Amino acid sequence: LAKHPEIKALMKPDYNLIWVVALMVLAQLTAFYLVKDLDWKWVVFWAYVFGSCISHSMTLAIHEISHNSAFGNSKAMWNRWFGIFANLPLGLPYSISFKRYHMDHHRYLGGDGIDVDIPTNFEGWFFCTPFRKFIWIVLQPFFYAIRPLCINPKPITRLEIINLLAQLAFDVAIYYLWGVKSIFYMLAGSVLGLGLHPISGHFIAEHYMFLKGHETYSYYGPLNLLTFNVGYHNEHHDFPNIPGKSLPLVKKIAAEYYDNLPQYNSWIKVLYDFVMDDTISPYSRMKRQLKGEVKQD
């Protein structure tokens, strides 16, 4: 910032995010209606080909919203309510809990017992062969859901209960209106999109040490168009209050800080290398013993 103070001008909400999320919710509602009378094979097909992409993209919209990118820091609660709305087509309550744990990830990156992005010791011990690592990728959404309860359980908040009740009401309404195939499409799309899917390469690309000494990596490939530029991950951790829309500008302005860092151009290759490289496993993360006072949401 001392060298490039113009970056401060990028620290503002991205109001376009509101309309993009609204259109994504509308797209999924339309899909719920369209699949209700299809054969099961086509429900599964569209859940993976279309629903999974929208669902995974929506989790990254929720990531943006967790940083108050939709309405700004001055309207934090507006962002929380909007996150609950964005959560609806995923089928499972996620937004409020994600925000609580994700802030810990930024404050205490790699913090042992705090950062639940770090796999458990069991994951590192068991998923150590190519086949087991492949299964680990398939089951990633389950590990992300269960891991916080094992590593850093937190008391349930009022907003989490509201998130849960709103989600249950939405799911019941979809089932009542359009039946079990629409519910299956919604849930299958979320599970498939966060598991064995090209976009899921970002889970591994972001912080797994393919090169020792480098614990955060950026990806500059085309899938950033579907993921609100989450691939610009070094830039995001440097400036978490800058919306994803503006992260390419951060890289352009401060190119001398980012261009020479290790980077990716294919999340699919990241997944392949993770499975096939015997030197990489869920253990391939930087873990820190935190000192001093730890403040969590």
Side-chain angles (χ1 to χ4, degrees):
L1 286 176
K3 188 172 182 180
H4 299 287
E6 62 270 31
I7 288 177
K8 292 181 181 179
L10 304 176
M11 298 176 183
K12 59 185 179 181
D14 175 15
Y15 295 116
N16 288 331
L17 179 63
I18 300 168
W19 307 112
V20 171
V21 167
L23 288 172
M24 290 170 69
V25 171
L26 180 61
Q28 280 293 69
L29 284 172
T30 303
F32 296 159
Y33 173 77
L34 292 174
V35 303
K36 67 184 180 67
D37 296 321
L38 295 180
D39 290 340
W40 277 106
K41 64 181 179 182
W42 290 112
V43 176
V44 174
F45 174 82
W46 288 113
Y48 188 79
V49 171
F50 182 76
S52 63
C53 296
I54 296 291
S55 292
H56 200 135
S57 184
M58 188 63 87
T59 67
L60 295 167
I62 290 172
H63 167 254
E64 287 284 290
I65 296 165
S66 75
H67 286 281
N68 295 332
S69 292
F71 295 97
N73 293 322
S74 63
K75 295 180 178 178
M77 280 305 299
W78 288 39
N79 290 281
R80 302 292 78 74
W81 294 118
F82 191 56
I84 292 173
F85 168 74
N87 196 153
L88 294 177
L90 296 177
L92 298 169
Y94 160 81
S95 177
I96 299 300
S97 297
F98 172 78
K99 189 264 191 298
R100 298 179 71 197
Y101 283 103
H102 188 63
M103 294 305 102
D104 294 340
H105 170 68
H106 275 274
R107 293 189 188 113
Y108 309 110
L109 180 64
D112 190 17
I114 302 296
D115 183 0
V116 299
D117 196 57
I118 299 287
T120 61
N121 288 331
F122 168 78
E123 291 171 74
W125 168 76
F126 185 79
F127 296 100
C128 57
T129 67
F131 177 73
R132 291 181 184 181
K133 287 190 285 184
F134 175 81
I135 297 300
W136 184 77
I137 289 173
V138 173
L139 298 178
Q140 271 194 107
F142 299 101
F143 286 114
Y144 270 93
I146 296 170
R147 195 183 294 147
L149 304 178
C150 300
I151 294 179
N152 186 19
K154 296 184 179 186
I156 296 175
T157 65
R158 181 178 65 91
L159 277 178
E160 285 175 306
I161 294 173
I162 293 172
N163 194 176
L164 171 63
L165 294 177
Q167 192 63 59
L168 287 174
F170 179 81
D171 293 352
V172 169
I174 295 299
Y175 177 77
Y176 177 79
L177 289 171
W178 298 320
V180 68
K181 289 181 179 178
S182 296
I183 289 291
F184 177 86
Y185 167 88
M186 174 169 57
L187 297 175
S190 296
V191 172
L192 294 170
L194 296 169
L196 187 61
H197 195 280
I199 298 177
S200 292
H202 82 86
F203 288 129
I204 295 169
E206 290 166 0
H207 296 297
Y208 284 77
M209 290 193 295
F210 282 76
L211 295 175
K212 289 187 177 180
H214 295 275
E215 61 176 307
T216 303
Y217 301 79
S218 287
Y219 156 84
Y220 299 122
L223 289 177
N224 278 307
L225 295 172
L226 297 177
T227 58
F228 301 90
N229 286 327
V230 75
Y232 288 76
H233 217 67
N234 277 300
E235 295 85 346
H236 172 61
H237 272 269
D238 285 347
F239 301 102
N241 55 342
I242 293 180
K245 174 185 176 182
S246 298
L247 292 178
L249 287 175
V250 172
K251 181 179 183 296
K252 183 177 180 180
I253 292 169
E256 69 271 27
Y257 291 99
Y258 298 111
D259 283 354
N260 294 322
L261 293 177
Q263 56 192 251
Y264 300 113
N265 290 304
S266 172
W267 278 334
I268 295 175
K269 188 175 187 304
V270 168
L271 291 172
Y272 177 83
D273 289 346
F274 177 81
V275 170
M276 301 307 295
D277 189 338
D278 291 337
T279 66
I280 304 296
S281 76
Y283 272 141
S284 302
R285 292 289 298 263
M286 179 72 75
K287 186 182 286 189
R288 296 178 174 85
Q289 297 297 324
L290 298 175
K291 299 179 181 179
E293 185 179 4
V294 174
K295 296 180 180 180
Q296 300 183 68
D297 284 351

